[in-house]
Amino acid sequence: MVTVAHQQAPPHTAVPTTPRTALATRHLGPNWYATVMGTAIIAGAGATLPVHIPGLRTACTAIWALSLIMLVALIGARTLHWIHHRDQARAHLLDPAVAPFYGCLSMALLAVGGGALLVGEDWIGTSAAVALDAVLFVAGTAIGLAAAVAIPYLMVVRHRTEPGQASPVWLLPLVAPMVSAALGPLLVPHLPAGQAQETLLFGCLAMFGLSLLATLVMLPLIFARLLTGGPFPLALTPTLFLVLGPLGQSTTAVNKFADTAATGVVPAPYDQGFAVFAVLYGVPVMGFALLWLALAGAMVVRARRRGMGFAMTWWAFTFPVGTCVTGAEGLGKHTGLAVYDWLALALYALLVTAWAVALTQTLRGVISGKLLAAPL
């Protein structure tokens, strides 16, 4: 555990009287919610794989339970952070490299909530799963929409960034509403038929649109940064995988819309329109996602050869790849093409491997205190 007591501190500082448990949270930033996202997506993506693997669903349910425990523990730790280290919390909001990670809180809530309905109901029952998902969906969506406005606002009026500082991290608050759009349809069948179901579905479609258009505005800045500024610093190279998030999640969303519309939630011809849109949108976007995956993977291999060590940015290898898994699963269902089923399986294998490595390295860093230490 990191100890900061007995170090020289400015007059009137509260550090010496801060409880030891709170001291360890001083440098616990919002980026830690990525660990919850990356864990929950293992369960969500594994639950809908196009093949039956003995024991997989039980394993996914256990991993979902782990993500729920991680979420509760992290919210508690972040609460201590805000209570005892408000100066650091404000500094995070004013730091353009850290503030976008506030979108991760929304996505962590949403991912765990969606997992409750996908696999968690096996252990806690359908009623409890619906209630838990409803609470986390409402909270996650509200926080996500707030972050999608507040973080860009801070970037405009308070942060001072140069074109060379453009980063895929900037996408995080913008993609949070897309996660709501993709997971909201899971709750539609549990609402009263008619206006309530249709309102939620079209609300998810609206969030799909706002997130997609905002992402299309931001992506050219990121690509231009690569072309004109060269590779990212080694530790930031894994953030290139964050671009996969809006691509895979939007593909997942349109397929979920089609599944929900097919149950009679919307009248004809909109039900068929959703099915057509799922394929006409999802296929080309998944193609671009695979192109970006190859580019980002090549950059990571290059960085690794140049000495890139573990950092919390390695969690970027998890959730974004997981959204591509669920996107491929949806396309396999709606196109009937086996190639998407095989793609989903290959990406899921990559996802599980990346998660195992990131989780192991994170646990080592926490035990040693390195990951909770003050940045150099």
Side-chain angles (χ1 to χ4, degrees), residues 125-141:
T126 300
S127 297
V130 171
L132 178 60
D133 186 26
V135 171
L136 295 181
F137 177 79
V138 171
T141 298

Side-chain angles (χ1 to χ4, degrees), residues 286-301:
M286 183 57 66
F288 180 69
L290 293 177
L291 170 66
W292 192 272
L293 176 62
L295 173 63
M299 297 295 290
V300 167
V301 170

Side-chain angles (χ1 to χ4, degrees), residues 256-358:
K256 294 298 184 184
F257 297 160
D259 291 340
T260 304
T263 62
V265 172
V266 296
Y270 300 115
D271 55 345
Q272 295 300 317
F274 276 111
V276 173
F277 182 58
V279 175
L280 295 184
Y281 173 88
V283 171
V285 171
M286 183 57 66
F288 180 69
L290 293 177
L291 170 66
W292 192 272
L293 176 62
L295 173 63
M299 297 295 290
V300 167
V301 170
R302 174 187 178 276
R304 186 65 172 165
R305 288 176 176 174
R306 284 163 172 74
M308 181 187 74
F310 174 75
M312 289 297 289
T313 52
W314 282 34
W315 282 96
F317 298 142
T318 57
F319 190 82
V321 174
T323 66
C324 292
V325 175
T326 55
E329 290 169 351
L331 288 176
K333 178 180 179 180
H334 288 104
T335 64
L337 296 176
V339 64
Y340 286 111
D341 294 340
W342 286 107
L343 176 61
L345 290 171
L347 290 174
Y348 191 70
L350 175 63
L351 168 64
V352 172
T353 301
W355 173 75
V357 172

